Amino acid sequence: MHIERQARKLSPPTFASLAAALDLFFWPGWLVVKMITFGRYPRSIHPAKADWLDYELLSFIGVVAVIGALVLAAYLWR
């Protein structure tokens, strides 16, 4: 419900880019949480069935994981 309230405030292109970013970073976040919890969580593989808070949290974890991987790659590339 939180994203729906935010969506009313955003213009359609902004909301579309937000939704695309959430979709893009959901899967890296999902993979990180699966590896950390040894496959126990998250239980739902479908973003549509997940609670919005879980969806946003996994997307945030995905952003952190991707940024961390890029920083590590840049450090090792030197």
Side-chain angles (χ1 to χ4, degrees):
M1 298 300 171
H2 178 66
I3 194 89
E4 291 172 4
R5 280 187 264 133
Q6 287 179 348
R8 290 185 204 127
K9 298 177 188 176
L10 298 174
S11 64
T14 306
F15 178 71
S17 62
L18 174 66
L22 287 175
D23 288 340
L24 177 68
F25 291 110
F26 175 83
W27 294 109
W30 179 85
L31 181 64
V32 167
V33 172
K34 274 289 193 187
M35 290 181 351
I36 290 172
T37 61
F38 300 108
R40 186 168 182 163
Y41 295 104
R43 295 180 192 274
S44 175
I45 196 169
H46 302 289
K49 293 181 181 179
D51 184 28
W52 276 108
L53 182 60
D54 295 339
Y55 187 67
E56 290 178 351
L57 178 64
L58 287 175
S59 297
F60 177 74
I61 292 170
V63 167
V64 171
V66 168
I67 290 173
L70 290 174
V71 167
L72 180 64
Y75 177 75
L76 294 175
W77 188 267
R78 279 195 300 155

Coordinates of all heavy atoms in Angstrom, one line a residue:
M1 N 0.8 -1.2 0.0 CA 0.0 0.0 0.0 C 0.9 1.3 0.0 O 0.4 2.3 -0.5 CB -0.9 0.0 1.2 CG -1.9 -1.1 1.3 SD -3.0 -1.1 -0.2 CE -3.8 -2.6 0.0
H2 N 2.0 1.2 0.5 CA 2.9 2.3 0.6 C 3.3 2.8 -0.8 O 3.3 4.0 -1.0 CB 4.2 2.0 1.4 CG 5.1 3.1 1.6 ND1 4.9 4.2 2.2 CD2 6.4 3.2 1.0 CE1 5.9 5.1 2.2 NE2 6.8 4.5 1.4
I3 N 3.6 1.9 -1.7 CA 4.0 2.3 -3.0 C 2.8 2.9 -3.8 O 3.0 3.8 -4.6 CB 4.6 1.2 -3.8 CG1 5.3 1.6 -5.1 CG2 3.6 0.2 -4.2 CD1 6.7 2.0 -4.8
E4 N 1.6 2.5 -3.4 CA 0.4 3.1 -4.1 C 0.2 4.5 -3.7 O -0.1 5.3 -4.5 CB -0.8 2.3 -3.7 CG -0.8 0.9 -4.4 CD -1.9 0.0 -3.9 OE1 -2.8 0.5 -3.1 OE2 -2.0 -1.2 -4.3
R5 N 0.5 4.8 -2.4 CA 0.4 6.2 -2.0 C 1.5 7.1 -2.7 O 1.2 8.2 -3.1 CB 0.5 6.3 -0.5 CG -0.8 6.0 0.2 CD -0.7 6.3 1.7 NE -0.4 5.0 2.3 CZ 0.6 4.8 3.2 NH1 1.3 5.8 3.7 NH2 0.8 3.6 3.7
Q6 N 2.6 6.5 -2.8 CA 3.7 7.3 -3.5 C 3.4 7.4 -5.0 O 3.7 8.4 -5.6 CB 5.0 6.5 -3.3 CG 5.6 6.6 -2.0 CD 6.9 5.8 -1.9 OE1 7.3 5.1 -2.8 NE2 7.7 6.0 -0.8
A7 N 2.8 6.4 -5.6 CA 2.5 6.5 -7.0 C 1.5 7.6 -7.3 O 1.6 8.2 -8.4 CB 1.9 5.2 -7.4
R8 N 0.6 7.9 -6.4 CA -0.3 9.0 -6.7 C 0.4 10.4 -6.7 O -0.1 11.3 -7.4 CB -1.4 9.1 -5.6 CG -2.3 7.9 -5.7 CD -3.5 8.0 -4.6 NE -4.0 6.7 -4.3 CZ -4.1 6.2 -3.1 NH1 -3.8 6.9 -2.1 NH2 -4.6 5.0 -3.0
K9 N 1.5 10.5 -6.1 CA 2.3 11.7 -6.0 C 3.2 11.9 -7.2 O 3.7 13.0 -7.5 CB 3.1 11.8 -4.7 CG 2.2 11.9 -3.5 CD 3.1 11.9 -2.3 CE 2.3 11.7 -1.0 NZ 3.2 11.6 0.2
L10 N 3.6 10.8 -7.8 CA 4.6 10.8 -8.9 C 3.9 10.9 -10.3 O 2.8 10.4 -10.5 CB 5.4 9.5 -8.9 CG 6.2 9.2 -7.6 CD1 6.8 7.9 -7.7 CD2 7.3 10.3 -7.4
S11 N 4.6 11.5 -11.2 CA 4.2 11.5 -12.6 C 4.4 10.2 -13.2 O 5.2 9.4 -12.7 CB 5.0 12.6 -13.3 OG 6.3 12.2 -13.4
P12 N 3.6 9.8 -14.2 CA 3.7 8.5 -14.8 C 5.1 8.1 -15.3 O 5.5 7.0 -15.0 CB 2.8 8.6 -16.0 CG 1.8 9.6 -15.6 CD 2.5 10.6 -14.8
P13 N 6.0 9.0 -15.9 CA 7.3 8.5 -16.2 C 8.2 8.2 -15.0 O 9.0 7.3 -15.0 CB 7.9 9.7 -17.1 CG 6.7 10.5 -17.5 CD 5.7 10.3 -16.5
T14 N 8.0 9.0 -14.0 CA 8.8 8.8 -12.7 C 8.4 7.5 -12.1 O 9.2 6.7 -11.6 CB 8.6 10.0 -11.8 OG1 8.9 11.2 -12.4 CG2 9.4 9.8 -10.5
F15 N 7.1 7.2 -12.1 CA 6.6 6.0 -11.5 C 7.1 4.8 -12.3 O 7.5 3.7 -11.7 CB 5.1 5.9 -11.4 CG 4.5 4.7 -10.8 CD1 4.7 4.4 -9.5 CD2 3.9 3.7 -11.6 CE1 4.3 3.2 -8.9 CE2 3.4 2.6 -11.1 CZ 3.6 2.3 -9.8
A16 N 7.1 4.9 -13.6 CA 7.5 3.8 -14.5 C 9.0 3.5 -14.3 O 9.4 2.4 -14.2 CB 7.3 4.1 -15.9
S17 N 9.8 4.6 -14.1 CA 11.2 4.4 -13.8 C 11.5 3.8 -12.5 O 12.4 2.9 -12.3 CB 12.0 5.6 -14.0 OG 11.6 6.6 -13.1
L18 N 10.7 4.2 -11.5 CA 10.8 3.6 -10.1 C 10.4 2.1 -10.2 O 11.1 1.3 -9.6 CB 9.9 4.3 -9.2 CG 9.8 3.7 -7.7 CD1 11.1 3.8 -7.0 CD2 8.7 4.4 -7.0
A19 N 9.4 1.8 -10.9 CA 8.9 0.4 -11.0 C 10.0 -0.5 -11.7 O 10.3 -1.6 -11.3 CB 7.6 0.3 -11.7
A20 N 10.6 0.1 -12.8 CA 11.6 -0.6 -13.5 C 12.9 -0.9 -12.6 O 13.5 -1.9 -12.7 CB 12.0 0.2 -14.8
A21 N 13.2 0.1 -11.8 CA 14.4 0.0 -11.0 C 14.1 -1.1 -9.9 O 15.0 -1.9 -9.6 CB 14.7 1.3 -10.3
L22 N 12.9 -1.1 -9.4 CA 12.5 -2.1 -8.4 C 12.6 -3.5 -9.0 O 13.1 -4.4 -8.4 CB 11.2 -1.8 -7.8 CG 11.1 -0.7 -6.8 CD1 9.6 -0.5 -6.4 CD2 11.9 -0.9 -5.6
D23 N 12.1 -3.6 -10.2 CA 12.1 -4.9 -10.9 C 13.5 -5.4 -11.2 O 13.9 -6.5 -11.1 CB 11.3 -4.9 -12.2 CG 9.8 -4.8 -11.9 OD1 9.4 -5.2 -10.8 OD2 9.1 -4.4 -12.8
L24 N 14.4 -4.4 -11.6 CA 15.7 -4.7 -12.0 C 16.6 -5.2 -10.8 O 17.3 -6.2 -10.9 CB 16.4 -3.5 -12.6 CG 17.9 -3.6 -13.0 CD1 18.0 -4.6 -14.2 CD2 18.5 -2.3 -13.3
F25 N 16.4 -4.6 -9.7 CA 17.2 -4.9 -8.5 C 16.6 -5.9 -7.6 O 17.2 -6.3 -6.6 CB 17.6 -3.6 -7.7 CG 18.5 -2.7 -8.5 CD1 18.1 -1.5 -9.0 CD2 19.8 -3.1 -8.7 CE1 19.0 -0.7 -9.7 CE2 20.7 -2.3 -9.4 CZ 20.3 -1.1 -9.9
F26 N 15.4 -6.3 -7.8 CA 14.7 -7.3 -7.0 C 15.5 -8.7 -7.0 O 15.8 -9.3 -6.0 CB 13.3 -7.6 -7.5 CG 12.6 -8.7 -6.7 CD1 12.0 -8.4 -5.5 CD2 12.5 -10.0 -7.2 CE1 11.4 -9.4 -4.8 CE2 11.9 -11.0 -6.5 CZ 11.3 -10.7 -5.3
W27 N 15.9 -9.1 -8.2 CA 16.5 -10.4 -8.4 C 17.9 -10.5 -7.7 O 18.2 -11.5 -7.1 CB 16.5 -10.9 -9.8 CG 15.1 -11.1 -10.3 CD1 14.4 -10.3 -11.1 CD2 14.1 -12.1 -9.8 NE1 13.1 -10.8 -11.3 CE2 12.9 -11.9 -10.4 CE3 14.2 -13.1 -8.9 CZ2 11.8 -12.7 -10.2 CZ3 13.1 -13.9 -8.7 CH2 11.9 -13.7 -9.4
P28 N 18.8 -9.5 -7.9 CA 20.0 -9.6 -7.1 C 19.8 -9.6 -5.6 O 20.5 -10.4 -4.9 CB 20.8 -8.4 -7.6 CG 20.2 -8.0 -8.9 CD 18.8 -8.4 -8.8
G29 N 18.8 -8.9 -5.2 CA 18.5 -8.9 -3.7 C 18.0 -10.2 -3.3 O 18.3 -10.7 -2.2
W30 N 17.1 -10.8 -4.1 CA 16.5 -12.1 -3.8 C 17.6 -13.1 -3.7 O 17.6 -13.9 -2.8 CB 15.5 -12.4 -4.9 CG 14.9 -13.7 -4.7 CD1 13.7 -14.0 -4.0 CD2 15.3 -15.0 -5.3 NE1 13.4 -15.3 -4.1 CE2 14.4 -16.0 -4.9 CE3 16.3 -15.3 -6.1 CZ2 14.5 -17.3 -5.3 CZ3 16.4 -16.7 -6.5 CH2 15.5 -17.6 -6.1
L31 N 18.6 -13.1 -4.6 CA 19.7 -14.0 -4.6 C 20.6 -13.9 -3.4 O 20.9 -14.9 -2.8 CB 20.5 -13.9 -5.9 CG 21.7 -14.8 -6.1 CD1 21.2 -16.3 -6.2 CD2 22.5 -14.5 -7.3
V32 N 20.9 -12.7 -3.0 CA 21.7 -12.4 -1.8 C 21.0 -12.9 -0.6 O 21.6 -13.6 0.2 CB 22.0 -10.9 -1.7 CG1 22.6 -10.6 -0.3 CG2 23.0 -10.5 -2.8
V33 N 19.7 -12.6 -0.4 CA 19.0 -13.1 0.8 C 18.9 -14.6 0.8 O 19.1 -15.3 1.8 CB 17.6 -12.5 0.9 CG1 16.8 -13.1 2.0 CG2 17.8 -11.0 1.1
K34 N 18.7 -15.2 -0.4 CA 18.7 -16.7 -0.5 C 20.0 -17.3 0.0 O 20.0 -18.3 0.7 CB 18.3 -17.2 -1.9 CG 16.9 -17.2 -2.2 CD 16.2 -18.4 -1.5 CE 14.9 -18.6 -2.1 NZ 14.1 -19.6 -1.4
M35 N 21.1 -16.7 -0.5 CA 22.4 -17.2 -0.1 C 22.7 -17.0 1.4 O 23.3 -17.9 2.0 CB 23.5 -16.6 -1.0 CG 23.4 -17.0 -2.4 SD 24.7 -16.4 -3.6 CE 25.5 -15.2 -2.8
I36 N 22.4 -15.9 1.9 CA 22.6 -15.6 3.3 C 21.8 -16.5 4.2 O 22.3 -17.0 5.3 CB 22.4 -14.1 3.7 CG1 23.4 -13.3 3.0 CG2 22.3 -13.9 5.2 CD1 23.2 -11.8 3.1
T37 N 20.6 -16.8 3.9 CA 19.7 -17.6 4.7 C 19.7 -19.1 4.3 O 18.9 -19.8 4.8 CB 18.3 -17.1 4.7 OG1 17.8 -17.2 3.4 CG2 18.2 -15.7 5.2
F38 N 20.7 -19.5 3.5 CA 20.8 -20.9 3.0 C 19.5 -21.4 2.4 O 19.1 -22.5 2.6 CB 21.2 -21.8 4.2 CG 22.6 -21.4 4.7 CD1 22.6 -20.8 6.0 CD2 23.7 -21.6 4.0 CE1 23.9 -20.5 6.5 CE2 24.9 -21.2 4.5 CZ 25.0 -20.7 5.8
G39 N 18.8 -20.5 1.6 CA 17.7 -20.9 0.8 C 16.4 -20.9 1.6 O 15.3 -21.2 1.0
R40 N 16.3 -20.4 2.8 CA 15.1 -20.4 3.6 C 14.2 -19.3 3.3 O 13.0 -19.4 3.2 CB 15.4 -20.4 5.1 CG 14.2 -20.6 5.9 CD 14.6 -20.9 7.3 NE 13.3 -21.1 8.1 CZ 13.3 -21.6 9.2 NH1 14.3 -22.1 9.8 NH2 12.1 -21.8 9.8
Y41 N 14.7 -18.1 3.1 CA 14.0 -16.9 2.8 C 14.5 -16.2 1.5 O 15.7 -16.4 1.2 CB 14.0 -15.9 3.9 CG 13.4 -16.4 5.2 CD1 14.2 -16.8 6.2 CD2 12.0 -16.4 5.3 CE1 13.6 -17.3 7.4 CE2 11.5 -16.9 6.5 CZ 12.3 -17.4 7.5 OH 11.7 -17.8 8.7
P42 N 13.8 -15.5 0.8 CA 12.3 -15.2 0.8 C 11.6 -16.4 0.3 O 12.1 -17.1 -0.6 CB 12.1 -14.0 0.0 CG 13.3 -14.0 -0.9 CD 14.4 -14.7 -0.2
R43 N 10.5 -16.7 0.8 CA 9.7 -17.9 0.5 C 9.0 -17.7 -0.9 O 8.9 -18.7 -1.6 CB 8.6 -18.1 1.5 CG 9.2 -18.5 2.8 CD 8.1 -18.8 3.9 NE 8.7 -18.9 5.2 CZ 9.2 -20.0 5.7 NH1 9.2 -21.1 5.0 NH2 9.7 -20.0 6.9
S44 N 8.6 -16.5 -1.3 CA 7.9 -16.3 -2.6 C 9.0 -15.9 -3.6 O 9.8 -15.1 -3.4 CB 6.9 -15.2 -2.5 OG 6.3 -14.9 -3.7
I45 N 8.8 -16.6 -4.8 CA 9.7 -16.3 -5.9 C 9.1 -15.2 -6.8 O 9.8 -14.6 -7.6 CB 10.1 -17.5 -6.7 CG1 11.3 -17.3 -7.5 CG2 9.0 -18.0 -7.5 CD1 11.9 -18.5 -8.1
H46 N 7.8 -15.0 -6.6 CA 7.1 -14.1 -7.5 C 7.0 -12.7 -6.8 O 6.4 -12.6 -5.8 CB 5.7 -14.6 -7.8 CG 5.7 -15.9 -8.5 ND1 6.1 -16.1 -9.8 CD2 5.4 -17.1 -8.1 CE1 6.1 -17.3 -10.1 NE2 5.6 -18.0 -9.1
P47 N 7.6 -11.6 -7.4 CA 7.5 -10.3 -6.8 C 6.0 -9.9 -6.6 O 5.7 -9.1 -5.7 CB 8.2 -9.4 -7.8 CG 9.0 -10.3 -8.7 CD 8.4 -11.6 -8.7
A48 N 5.1 -10.3 -7.5 CA 3.7 -9.9 -7.4 C 3.1 -10.4 -6.2 O 2.1 -9.8 -5.6 CB 2.9 -10.3 -8.6
K49 N 3.5 -11.6 -5.7 CA 2.9 -12.2 -4.5 C 3.5 -11.7 -3.2 O 3.0 -11.9 -2.1 CB 3.1 -13.7 -4.5 CG 2.3 -14.3 -5.6 CD 2.4 -15.8 -5.6 CE 1.6 -16.5 -6.7 NZ 1.8 -17.9 -6.7
A50 N 4.7 -11.0 -3.3 CA 5.4 -10.5 -2.1 C 4.7 -9.2 -1.6 O 4.1 -8.5 -2.3 CB 6.8 -10.2 -2.4
D51 N 4.9 -9.0 -0.3 CA 4.4 -7.7 0.3 C 5.3 -6.6 -0.2 O 6.4 -6.8 -0.5 CB 4.5 -7.8 1.8 CG 4.0 -6.6 2.5 OD1 3.0 -6.0 2.0 OD2 4.5 -6.3 3.6
W52 N 4.7 -5.4 -0.4 CA 5.4 -4.3 -0.9 C 6.7 -4.0 -0.1 O 7.7 -3.6 -0.7 CB 4.6 -3.0 -1.1 CG 3.8 -3.1 -2.3 CD1 2.4 -3.3 -2.4 CD2 4.3 -2.9 -3.7 NE1 2.1 -3.3 -3.7 CE2 3.2 -3.1 -4.5 CE3 5.5 -2.7 -4.2 CZ2 3.3 -3.0 -5.9 CZ3 5.6 -2.6 -5.6 CH2 4.5 -2.8 -6.4
L53 N 6.6 -4.1 1.2 CA 7.8 -3.8 2.0 C 8.9 -4.8 1.7 O 10.1 -4.4 1.6 CB 7.4 -3.8 3.5 CG 8.5 -3.5 4.5 CD1 9.1 -2.1 4.2 CD2 8.1 -3.5 5.9
D54 N 8.5 -6.1 1.6 CA 9.5 -7.1 1.2 C 10.1 -6.8 -0.1 O 11.3 -7.0 -0.3 CB 8.9 -8.5 1.2 CG 8.4 -8.9 2.6 OD1 8.9 -8.3 3.6 OD2 7.5 -9.8 2.7
Y55 N 9.3 -6.4 -1.1 CA 9.7 -6.1 -2.4 C 10.7 -5.0 -2.5 O 11.7 -5.1 -3.1 CB 8.5 -5.8 -3.3 CG 8.7 -5.7 -4.7 CD1 9.0 -6.7 -5.5 CD2 8.5 -4.4 -5.3 CE1 9.3 -6.6 -6.9 CE2 8.7 -4.3 -6.7 CZ 9.1 -5.4 -7.4 OH 9.3 -5.2 -8.8
E56 N 10.4 -3.9 -1.7 CA 11.3 -2.8 -1.7 C 12.6 -3.1 -0.9 O 13.7 -2.7 -1.3 CB 10.6 -1.6 -1.0 CG 9.5 -1.0 -1.9 CD 8.8 0.2 -1.2 OE1 9.0 0.4 0.0 OE2 8.0 0.8 -1.9
L57 N 12.5 -3.9 0.1 CA 13.7 -4.3 0.9 C 14.6 -5.1 0.0 O 15.8 -4.9 0.0 CB 13.3 -5.0 2.2 CG 14.4 -5.5 3.0 CD1 15.2 -4.4 3.6 CD2 13.9 -6.4 4.2
L58 N 14.0 -6.1 -0.7 CA 14.9 -6.9 -1.5 C 15.5 -6.1 -2.6 O 16.6 -6.4 -3.0 CB 14.1 -8.1 -2.1 CG 13.7 -9.2 -1.1 CD1 12.8 -10.2 -1.7 CD2 15.0 -9.9 -0.5
S59 N 14.8 -5.2 -3.2 CA 15.3 -4.3 -4.2 C 16.4 -3.4 -3.6 O 17.5 -3.2 -4.3 CB 14.2 -3.4 -4.8 OG 13.2 -4.2 -5.4
F60 N 16.3 -2.9 -2.4 CA 17.4 -2.2 -1.8 C 18.6 -3.0 -1.6 O 19.7 -2.6 -1.8 CB 16.9 -1.5 -0.5 CG 17.9 -0.8 0.2 CD1 18.4 0.5 -0.2 CD2 18.5 -1.3 1.4 CE1 19.4 1.2 0.4 CE2 19.5 -0.6 2.0 CZ 19.9 0.6 1.6
I61 N 18.4 -4.2 -1.1 CA 19.5 -5.1 -0.9 C 20.2 -5.4 -2.2 O 21.4 -5.5 -2.3 CB 19.1 -6.4 -0.2 CG1 18.6 -6.1 1.2 CG2 20.1 -7.5 -0.2 CD1 17.9 -7.3 1.9
G62 N 19.4 -5.5 -3.3 CA 20.0 -5.7 -4.6 C 20.8 -4.5 -5.1 O 21.9 -4.7 -5.7
V63 N 20.4 -3.3 -4.8 CA 21.1 -2.1 -5.1 C 22.5 -2.2 -4.4 O 23.5 -1.9 -5.0 CB 20.4 -0.8 -4.8 CG1 21.3 0.4 -4.9 CG2 19.2 -0.7 -5.7
V64 N 22.4 -2.5 -3.1 CA 23.7 -2.5 -2.3 C 24.6 -3.6 -2.8 O 25.8 -3.4 -2.9 CB 23.3 -2.7 -0.8 CG1 24.6 -3.0 0.0 CG2 22.6 -1.5 -0.3
A65 N 24.0 -4.7 -3.2 CA 24.9 -5.8 -3.7 C 25.5 -5.5 -5.0 O 26.7 -5.8 -5.2 CB 24.0 -7.1 -3.8
V66 N 24.8 -4.9 -5.9 CA 25.3 -4.5 -7.2 C 26.4 -3.4 -7.1 O 27.5 -3.5 -7.7 CB 24.2 -4.0 -8.2 CG1 24.8 -3.4 -9.4 CG2 23.3 -5.2 -8.5
I67 N 26.2 -2.4 -6.2 CA 27.2 -1.4 -6.0 C 28.4 -2.0 -5.4 O 29.5 -1.7 -5.8 CB 26.6 -0.3 -5.1 CG1 25.6 0.5 -5.9 CG2 27.7 0.7 -4.6 CD1 24.8 1.6 -5.2
G68 N 28.2 -2.9 -4.4 CA 29.3 -3.6 -3.8 C 30.1 -4.4 -4.8 O 31.4 -4.4 -4.7
A69 N 29.4 -5.1 -5.7 CA 30.1 -5.9 -6.7 C 30.9 -5.0 -7.6 O 32.0 -5.4 -8.0 CB 29.1 -6.8 -7.4
L70 N 30.3 -3.9 -8.0 CA 31.0 -3.0 -8.9 C 32.3 -2.4 -8.2 O 33.3 -2.2 -8.9 CB 30.1 -1.9 -9.4 CG 29.0 -2.3 -10.3 CD1 28.0 -1.1 -10.6 CD2 29.6 -2.8 -11.6
V71 N 32.2 -2.0 -7.0 CA 33.3 -1.5 -6.2 C 34.4 -2.5 -6.1 O 35.6 -2.2 -6.3 CB 32.9 -0.9 -4.8 CG1 34.1 -0.7 -4.0 CG2 32.0 0.3 -5.0
L72 N 34.0 -3.8 -5.8 CA 35.0 -4.8 -5.7 C 35.6 -5.1 -7.0 O 36.9 -5.3 -7.1 CB 34.3 -6.1 -5.2 CG 35.2 -7.3 -5.0 CD1 36.2 -7.1 -3.9 CD2 34.4 -8.6 -4.7
A73 N 34.9 -5.1 -8.1 CA 35.5 -5.3 -9.4 C 36.4 -4.2 -9.8 O 37.5 -4.5 -10.4 CB 34.4 -5.4 -10.5
A74 N 36.1 -3.0 -9.5 CA 37.0 -1.8 -9.8 C 38.2 -1.9 -8.9 O 39.3 -1.6 -9.4 CB 36.2 -0.5 -9.5
Y75 N 38.1 -2.3 -7.7 CA 39.3 -2.5 -6.8 C 40.2 -3.6 -7.3 O 41.4 -3.4 -7.3 CB 38.8 -2.8 -5.4 CG 40.0 -3.0 -4.4 CD1 40.7 -2.0 -4.0 CD2 40.3 -4.3 -4.0 CE1 41.8 -2.2 -3.1 CE2 41.3 -4.5 -3.1 CZ 42.1 -3.5 -2.7 OH 43.1 -3.7 -1.8
L76 N 39.6 -4.7 -7.7 CA 40.4 -5.8 -8.2 C 41.0 -5.6 -9.6 O 42.0 -6.2 -10.0 CB 39.6 -7.1 -8.2 CG 39.2 -7.6 -6.8 CD1 38.3 -8.8 -6.9 CD2 40.4 -7.9 -6.0
W77 N 40.4 -4.7 -10.4 CA 40.8 -4.4 -11.7 C 42.1 -3.6 -11.7 O 42.9 -3.7 -12.7 CB 39.7 -3.7 -12.5 CG 39.9 -3.5 -13.9 CD1 40.5 -2.4 -14.5 CD2 39.6 -4.4 -15.0 NE1 40.6 -2.6 -15.9 CE2 40.0 -3.8 -16.2 CE3 39.0 -5.7 -15.0 CZ2 39.9 -4.5 -17.4 CZ3 38.9 -6.3 -16.2 CH2 39.3 -5.7 -17.4
R78 N 42.3 -2.8 -10.7 CA 43.5 -2.0 -10.6 C 44.7 -2.7 -10.7 O 45.2 -3.7 -10.4 CB 43.5 -1.1 -9.3 CG 42.7 0.0 -9.4 CD 43.0 1.0 -8.3 NE 42.8 0.4 -7.0 CZ 43.4 0.8 -5.9 NH1 44.2 1.8 -5.9 NH2 43.1 0.2 -4.7

